[in-house]
Amino acid sequence: MNAPLAERARALLDSNWREGRYRGLDYAFSVPSPRSYPWQWYWDSGFHAIVRRRFDPSRSRRELETLLNAAEDGFEDGFIGHTLMWGHPLDLQRTLRYNVASRHDLMTRTIQPPLLAWAWRIAVGDPAADERIAAHHGWLRAHRDLEGDGLLWILQPDESGLDASPKFDHVWGRLAQGRVLFPLLVQRNRRLGFDARRVAAAGRPLVCEVVTNVLWALSERALGRPSLTATLVERLYDDRLGRFFDLVRNPVHQLPRERRPLTWDTLAPLALPDLPEPIGRRLVEETLLRPGFWDAVPLPAVSLDDPSYSDRERWWGRHRHWRGPSWVNSAWLVTLGLRRLGYEHEAARIASRLTDVIEREGFREYYEPRAGRGMAAHDFGWSTLAVEIADPDPRSLSSFL
């Protein structure tokens, strides 16, 4: 293990640790970043738990159990929201733009990529041993599997975790996240109860999104359910173009796949342990190793040579998030596939570049893809996944490969 990197990762997660009791429920977790993200975020906690299992498995379990504890305060059995406001409610300003029905909600009414069962498998043990995880999956299947094929649909960009990615611009148009009218999308979905079936009935946009379904497929498999990989390939993979694409209902603008932005999510299926090898190798050789991705600090959200790539600090009045910067969680998911397929040299190069950048810039929310300048939040928890990239644990690798 890269000892200095691992020691810094542990110190960060410990510094970000919060625990207590709120509304009759116990909580214990690491905030994503002390200043910018003061509560618990669903998929961040999954990544925190995966890294923390190396140092303190008991806290890994407590972090994931905190998500399950929140479900006891949920408005529907098994639902777990995107953001969980432990300790104190939203202020009035956040209430207007967060996906809540009331300022006093414990959780937002929207989801994030559902990796809980997968993270539990890696960090804790068998997720089937806690019936609350099965209930959570039951809610997702009942409310977000709109076509009965096992894949999930999202009703807002932020449910994918990719927020202002340019791949959503044609779907929601001026209401896409990062644009000034995004609060109107939140208000519209609030009126519809953040209910995907009501959104569908109203003829509004919905997306069967790649990253959401990759992590869902990994979690379903971790829970002992049949693999969704074949369905994911059948529905989302375009063999002619060699890329994975979202399915879209009722977009504001119809955009042919050839013209859609080249964003990192097409590489996310590399994390699937049963992705057919020819598809995986094609993703690596034709997309990951192209200069727009490979010459950048790993892994840029948008290929550097794509017209939608932005290197501005802010975009439409908001931080540009997934419009270009490099993210550590994306790089980690991709290295899982690289190592499975035997691309050890390429995985090591990603590890080396990220380690150098983090040693210089610290654990930041994301990085400028050319020079690696740290951007946005400081002391960002899931960037500790760099430890997993630099020093994969063979004993745990079987848990997810």
Side-chain angles (χ1 to χ4, degrees):
M1 180 185 293
N2 184 315
L5 184 67
E7 291 166 4
R8 291 175 66 185
R10 180 173 189 170
L12 185 153
L13 292 172
D14 285 348
S15 177
N16 289 1
W17 186 254
R18 307 287 186 269
E19 60 180 279
R21 189 168 177 81
Y22 183 63
R23 293 168 60 152
L25 300 170
D26 293 326
Y27 66 85
F29 65 97
S30 285
V31 297
S33 176
R35 292 183 61 185
S36 303
Y37 299 95
W39 294 296
Q40 183 177 27
W41 267 255
Y42 179 110
W43 74 329
D44 294 69
S45 277
F47 294 131
H48 297 165
I50 288 167
V51 177
R52 194 190 290 281
R53 83 193 187 285
R54 293 171 173 258
F55 322 123
D56 191 344
S58 65
R59 282 193 169 183
S60 290
R61 184 182 191 115
R62 291 180 71 193
E63 177 135 9
L64 297 179
E65 284 181 334
T66 297
L67 293 174
L68 296 170
N69 291 347
E72 298 177 18
D73 191 72
F75 67 96
E76 292 181 8
D77 183 45
F79 173 79
I80 303 175
H82 175 297
T83 310
L84 294 72
M85 280 72 73
W86 296 110
H88 57 90
L90 288 169
D91 55 50
L92 290 175
Q93 189 270 337
R94 283 189 171 99
T95 300
L96 295 175
R97 57 188 177 87
Y98 273 46
N99 302 311
V100 294
S102 162
R103 181 186 174 194
H104 300 289
D105 284 353
L106 176 61
M107 298 183 284
T108 61
R109 301 298 180 97
T110 50
I111 65 170
Q112 269 199 319
L115 80 166
L116 172 58
W118 184 49
W120 190 284
R121 170 69 69 181
I122 297 169
V124 179
D126 183 4
D130 193 316
E131 61 184 17
R132 296 176 296 175
I133 298 178
H136 177 44
H137 278 230
W139 186 93
L140 289 162
R141 284 191 292 270
H143 293 267
R144 295 307 184 91
D145 178 5
L146 301 183
E147 299 187 358
D149 60 1
L151 301 185
L152 306 183
W153 292 73
I154 63 172
L155 52 81
Q156 291 186 185
D158 46 318
E159 291 200 310
S160 72
L162 307 190
D163 295 6
S165 172
K167 74 174 186 166
F168 296 125
D169 290 353
H170 78 285
V171 181
W172 281 282
R174 291 181 298 171
L175 302 187
Q177 197 149 353
R179 294 186 180 269
V180 293
L181 296 183
F182 174 66
L184 297 182
L185 177 62
V186 175
Q187 292 179 29
R188 186 171 73 191
N189 287 335
R190 184 180 289 126
R191 288 195 299 270
L192 294 170
F194 297 103
D195 185 317
R197 296 190 185 277
R198 290 179 64 189
V199 171
R204 304 301 188 183
L206 291 159
V207 178
C208 183
E209 194 272 330
V210 174
V211 176
T212 302
N213 280 290
V214 166
L215 292 172
W216 169 242
L218 289 163
S219 282
E220 283 278 83
R221 181 185 174 102
L223 201 57
R225 292 182 57 83
S227 172
L228 288 170
T229 297
T231 304
L232 209 151
V233 168
E234 179 185 355
R235 300 296 311 278
L236 306 185
Y237 182 66
D238 188 319
D239 184 65
R240 179 174 62 88
L241 298 176
R243 290 170 55 189
F244 283 85
F245 292 91
D246 300 336
L247 297 178
V248 180
R249 289 189 186 183
N250 309 314
V252 171
H253 306 292
Q254 294 289 348
L255 191 65
R257 286 179 169 179
E258 294 87 345
R259 294 175 52 199
R260 294 190 193 179
L262 180 53
T263 50
W264 85 273
D265 50 286
T266 191
L267 298 167
L270 286 168
L272 297 168
D274 54 348
L275 183 72
E277 183 171 335
I279 293 177
R281 293 194 176 279
R282 190 174 178 189
L283 290 174
V284 173
E285 300 290 341
E286 296 181 13
T287 301
L288 178 63
L289 299 184
R290 59 180 288 146
F293 282 115
W294 195 241
D295 292 347
V297 171
L299 184 67
V302 181
S303 177
L304 301 186
D305 55 4
D306 190 89
S308 68
Y309 171 83
S310 172
D311 58 6
R312 288 177 290 175
E313 181 72 21
R314 298 176 74 85
W315 185 85
W316 282 85
R318 297 291 302 277
H319 287 292
R320 57 193 173 91
H321 297 310
W322 294 90
R323 300 197 74 86
S326 297
W327 296 77
V328 177
N329 65 330
S330 306
W332 177 61
L333 289 169
V334 167
T335 59
L336 297 181
L338 288 176
R339 290 191 163 105
R340 180 177 65 87
L341 295 169
Y343 290 95
E344 291 293 343
H345 172 76
E346 289 77 4
R349 182 176 183 269
I350 288 175
S352 176
R353 295 200 70 184
L354 274 178
T355 298
D356 290 346
V357 164
I358 289 171
E359 287 180 349
R360 184 181 76 238
E361 302 289 325
F363 293 107
R364 297 295 297 273
E365 185 173 359
Y366 46 79
Y367 300 87
E368 190 280 317
R370 291 187 171 89
R373 176 173 56 89
M375 302 178 71
H378 293 259
D379 302 320
F380 197 71
W382 86 27
S383 290
T384 61
L385 284 166
V387 175
E388 298 294 318
I389 299 173
D391 183 40
D393 184 352
R395 294 169 302 174
S396 298
L397 212 57
S398 60
S399 296
F400 46 89
L401 291 183

